[in-house]
Amino acid sequence: RDAAYTREAALIVIIVAVLNGIGGAIIADNRVGAFIALVIVGVVGWLLWAVIADFVGRTFFGATSDVGEMLRVIGFAQSVLVLAIIPLLGFVAFIWSLVCLVVALRHGLDISTGKAIVVGLIGWLLVAIASGIVYAIVV
């Protein structure tokens, strides 16, 4: 709940997005486009996911949170995605980050694990769609 950690969460997201961009550029045909798209998707996806998680959690599950709190918990949950710089570990890091996300949402929203999974899946689906659109436009 400490707003002072929003800057650190943002820094984690930016570092992860840049490393993910590098990892994605290694295997892409359009290296520059992939890098730019993945950095944009990483940062914008984090912002979008925080807004979605806060909205869904408060509206449907009576959660007690705000967007700032969601930015922090989701940002820190993404820290394991630093492994995505290694293309073969990207999938493992993705799954691990989803587990971290559920725990973060559970505590940040003060809801049950099942509800946190629902919030996480809704957020993941909407962010994945938006990310796919951004990636298709940029690359």
Side-chain angles (χ1 to χ4, degrees), residues 8-11 19-20 22 34 45 50 52 55 57 66 70 76 80 84 88 92 102-103 113 119-120 126 137:
E8 284 84 355
L11 184 60
L19 292 175
N20 193 23
I22 292 169
I52 292 167
F55 175 78
D66 59 43
M70 291 299 95
F76 282 104
V80 297
L88 298 177
V92 173
V102 169
V103 173
T113 301
V119 172
L126 296 175
I137 290 170

Side-chain angles (χ1 to χ4, degrees), residues 89-123:
L89 289 180
F91 182 72
V92 173
F94 172 72
I95 298 300
W96 189 3
S97 73
L98 289 179
V99 172
C100 292
L101 176 77
V102 169
V103 173
L105 290 172
R106 185 181 71 204
H107 290 288
L109 295 168
D110 296 321
I111 58 177
S112 69
T113 301
K115 291 176 182 177
I117 290 170
V118 171
V119 172
L121 287 173
I122 291 169

Side-chain angles (χ1 to χ4, degrees), residues 34-133:
F35 175 80
I36 291 169
L38 289 169
V39 170
I40 291 170
V41 162
V43 175
V44 173
W46 168 60
L47 297 169
L48 182 61
W49 207 329
V51 171
I52 292 167
D54 181 60
F55 175 78
V56 171
R58 285 187 305 112
T59 303
F60 299 106
F61 299 119
T64 58
S65 65
D66 59 43
V67 174
E69 188 173 357
M70 291 299 95
L71 286 169
R72 290 185 292 279
V73 298
I74 292 170
F76 282 104
Q78 290 185 16
S79 62
V80 297
L81 289 173
V82 297
L83 297 174
I85 192 168
I86 304 167
L88 298 177
L89 289 180
F91 182 72
V92 173
F94 172 72
I95 298 300
W96 189 3
S97 73
L98 289 179
V99 172
C100 292
L101 176 77
V102 169
V103 173
L105 290 172
R106 185 181 71 204
H107 290 288
L109 295 168
D110 296 321
I111 58 177
S112 69
T113 301
K115 291 176 182 177
I117 290 170
V118 171
V119 172
L121 287 173
I122 291 169
W124 177 81
L125 179 62
L126 296 175
V127 170
I129 291 168
S131 297
I133 292 168

